[in-house]
Amino acid sequence: MPPALLELKAVCRTYTDGEPLTVLKDVTLEIRSGEFVAIMGASGSGKSTLMNIIGCLDSPSAGTYSIRGIDVAGLNGDALAALRRDTFGFIFQRYNLMSDLSAIENAEVPAVYRGVGKAERKAHAGQLLVDLGLGDRLNHNPGQLSGGQQQRVSIARALMNGGPVILADEPTGALDSTGGKEVMAILENLHGLGHTIIVVTHDTDIAAYAHRLVRIVDGRITSDEMQKGETGTLLQAGEPEKAAGPGAAVLGESLKMAMRSLLHNRMRTVLTMLGIIIGVASVVALMAIGNGAKQDVVERIQAMGTDLLTIMRGPPAVRASAEIVTTFLPEDLPFIAGVPGVSMAVPETNLSSLLRFGNQDLTVTAVGTGDKFPEVHDWPPQAGVFFSAEHVKGYAQVVALGQTVVKNLFPPETNPLGQYVLIGSAPFLVIGVLSSKGLTPRGDDMDNSVWLPYTTAGARIFGQRFFNDIVVRVKTDADMTAVQAGLHALMMKRHGKEDFNIRNQADTIAQADETQNTLTYLLAAIAVISLVVGGIGVMNIMLVSVTERTREIGIRMAIGARGFDVLFQFLTEAVVVCFIGGIAGVVAGFGGGLATSAIAGWRVIFTAAPVAIAFACAFLTGIVFGYLPARKASQLNPIEALARD
Ligand code: ADP
Ligand code: MG
């Protein structure tokens, strides 16, 4: 004789949460394929506990339970899930349908976990529902169906994967007598088709449908008798199918459930996403602003001329020298101009000075320089002329003004050319106005300057003969490094010590870049912190969601979801929140960046990297912060989950 389909030997079940309570005592029971068994007993006698063990939702505390001769104690969680999925079809007293899914979607779920494609699933579920008389209710949600109709949907669900063994725990308990009779007629019919049916009930009328009646009192089997002849046809319970793996079907279901759940709690979803949106948007916008600022600085430096070398007072790598270097003298200039590759050189000494015209005062930067200044800096006069070599030689009291100075010092419509202005107490004749140059790399207004011969400036205003800097223009075809080395050698020879340092524009750009990068990283760090905060928000809401949906998780596990499938579903939900939040964040980041540029006039430069990084961070946030709640869901005990309201 082949082994019985289901065989319990001396099974005990003791609940140990709280006072130990032994609910099943020494239950020995064999059920063969094709039987129609009723397990009858009073409420609290242990019927559901027994049914949960038979359905592999729970395991015995003592004794053995074998299915087709295989002890289930030796099976892992996935194998048990596969058994529930392919061998058993559960029908519960309270139907246990998922309220967010339509009748057909509810019926489909077990096939999802077997990896059946969507079209095939739909067709099969639809057919089952039509056969059960629900052809006109396919797209109704459980809330729109009567109890009897809901129970029929749950029968369709139990049959979805074949359901060779139907386990019905008080299937009529919540129905009126007509509904109850309908359900029992369906079960009788299924038995006729060869399904093995096990019904738990406390109702003699229901038990009367069965062919075999097992009575249970206080956890012990007290009688076990045939009450009708055995039927002939047997539906052989198939081996658990080695499905290719639910893969795509579970992904589809998970995405669908994620969208349902998120749409179901719109307000909560938006608030949860807000953290991610703000995080991603700030990464995108702040990086764009940072990049814009950096580019601005680079361009300002380049605007000053890329083929310039600046010889500055003071030894290299010393920020503030104790003694003032006074050795940069006019005598150096002809030698510097003679270094091979040097096109021209001008001294520059800047001092903040008070400028006066009439009774109008203005603080400006007075620059004592040479006649070649406009050519060295590509900065031609816009009106009038710049001073000449003769002016320099003759200590002329002439001055050229910047645009800002003209605007702020003179009444409107006054032509500054030919006017006298006072610098300190010395009068200077305005002979030229330079074109506009904009801001220095540090953001100072270069047009708020006046230029005068270094001779006059040294004697009348600064009271010093030496210069601060000497700016050298290198010939376009000359090698910058070689010229720099030449200048270095010359200065060493003339000054006898390294009391100077030479800076080229590449150095200046690199230095400015570094400062700006530090700033940008700082901004990015702030943004990442806000992403993490957003992630914690996601985790929080996901934990709430898992708690709220414990029952749904229990149902899914009862009908064949593996722990991994549940984990995957909740992880998907977290990732979907972060993904949508990420997209919204990128859009908001672009919007915010553009708005900043429009309102504050700042330059913003969007690059792909921060967008990609922010998006990847959001995605990762979903996985990292979704994992804990998802794992919690996947580790729920199905019977406890099902017991939850
Ligand atoms: P029935 O389905 O026959 O009404 P159950 O199998 O549901 O009975 O319960 C049998 C006994 O076990 C009851 O006294 C019930 O209180 C107890 N019980 C059921 N589930 C648990 C549990 N998870 N923890 C502790 N006691 C339980
Ligand atoms: Mg019960």
Side-chain angles (χ1 to χ4, degrees), residues 240-271:
E241 206 166 313
K242 301 275 182 292
V250 168
L251 175 60
E253 173 82 1
S254 298
L255 284 172
K256 182 174 85 182
M257 286 312 295
M259 292 313 294
R260 292 280 163 91
S261 152
L262 298 179
L263 287 175
H264 191 98
N265 299 302
R266 264 167 242 229
M267 187 65 176
R268 190 163 90 182
T269 305
V270 170
L271 289 175

Side-chain angles (χ1 to χ4, degrees), residues 526-548:
I526 294 170
V528 166
I529 289 170
S530 72
L531 256 181
V532 169
V533 174
I536 292 170
V538 170
M539 175 150 76
N540 188 17
I541 288 300
M542 288 307 299
L543 284 170
V544 172
S545 177
V546 168
T547 307
E548 279 179 355

Side-chain angles (χ1 to χ4, degrees), residues 375-397:
E375 286 158 85
V376 168
H377 287 284
D378 268 334
W379 196 350
Q382 188 195 54
V385 293
F386 202 75
F387 49 82
S388 65
E390 278 65 45
H391 284 131
V392 175
K393 209 184 287 170
Y395 287 76
Q397 286 181 239

Side-chain angles (χ1 to χ4, degrees), residues 323-342:
E323 49 186 303
I324 295 172
V325 175
T326 56
T327 47
F328 280 33
L329 295 170
E331 291 74 42
D332 286 325
L333 290 174
F335 291 95
I336 288 171
V339 170
V342 170

Side-chain angles (χ1 to χ4, degrees), residues 23 125 157 171 192 211 241 251 276 279 342 428 438 441 515 527 530 539 596 608:
V23 176
R157 182 176 66 187
H211 292 213
E241 206 166 313
L251 175 60
I276 298 296
V342 170
F428 281 79
T515 319
S530 72
M539 175 150 76
T596 309

Side-chain angles (χ1 to χ4, degrees), residues 44 47-49 93 169-170 200:
K47 307 180 299 290
S48 293
T49 305
Q93 176 175 355
D169 188 349
E170 311 249 17
V200 156

Side-chain angles (χ1 to χ4, degrees), residues 385-605:
V385 293
F386 202 75
F387 49 82
S388 65
E390 278 65 45
H391 284 131
V392 175
K393 209 184 287 170
Y395 287 76
Q397 286 181 239
V398 291
V399 67
L401 307 182
Q403 297 273 325
T404 309
V405 176
V406 172
K407 197 171 77 207
N408 292 337
L409 191 64
F410 294 96
E413 310 296 327
T414 310
N415 183 0
L417 296 180
Q419 307 282 358
Y420 279 89
V421 293
L422 288 177
I423 304 177
S425 57
F428 281 79
L429 173 66
V430 177
I431 59 168
V433 174
L434 291 203
S435 47
S436 176
K437 195 76 167 176
L439 303 180
T440 66
R442 281 177 21 212
D444 300 325
D445 181 6
M446 290 198 281
D447 297 323
N448 191 35
S449 304
V450 301
W451 296 266
L452 37 151
Y454 65 83
T455 47
T456 329
R460 304 291 308 254
I461 302 171
F462 303 158
Q464 64 178 49
R465 236 185 118 233
F466 55 87
F467 312 131
N468 282 358
D469 304 330
I470 297 171
V471 179
V472 176
R473 179 155 206 132
V474 176
K475 287 181 179 150
T476 21
D477 53 353
D479 173 14
M480 199 64 134
T481 322
V483 177
Q484 192 168 340
L487 285 169
H488 191 272
L490 173 82
M491 294 296 284
M492 283 302 285
K493 194 168 122 222
R494 286 190 56 78
H495 292 184
K497 60 176 180 192
E498 198 167 20
D499 58 358
F500 61 92
N501 66 90
I502 306 177
R503 172 78 60 81
N504 63 41
Q505 295 298 69
D507 293 341
T508 314
I509 290 176
Q511 204 186 30
D513 247 14
E514 210 168 289
T515 319
Q516 290 293 328
N517 279 344
T518 313
L519 206 71
T520 310
Y521 294 145
L522 200 76
L523 293 180
I526 294 170
V528 166
I529 289 170
S530 72
L531 256 181
V532 169
V533 174
I536 292 170
V538 170
M539 175 150 76
N540 188 17
I541 288 300
M542 288 307 299
L543 284 170
V544 172
S545 177
V546 168
T547 307
E548 279 179 355
R549 288 155 68 195
T550 300
R551 195 174 176 80
E552 176 196 327
I553 295 165
I555 299 168
R556 287 182 182 273
M557 286 183 155
I559 60 185
R562 294 168 302 164
F564 175 79
D565 299 325
V566 171
L567 182 135
F568 191 79
Q569 180 185 330
F570 282 88
L571 206 52
T572 304
E573 192 168 319
V575 169
V576 165
V577 170
C578 291
F579 188 82
I580 298 175
I583 292 179
V586 168
V587 172
F590 271 91
L594 292 175
T596 309
S597 113
I599 295 165
W602 293 351
R603 177 159 177 194
V604 294
I605 297 175

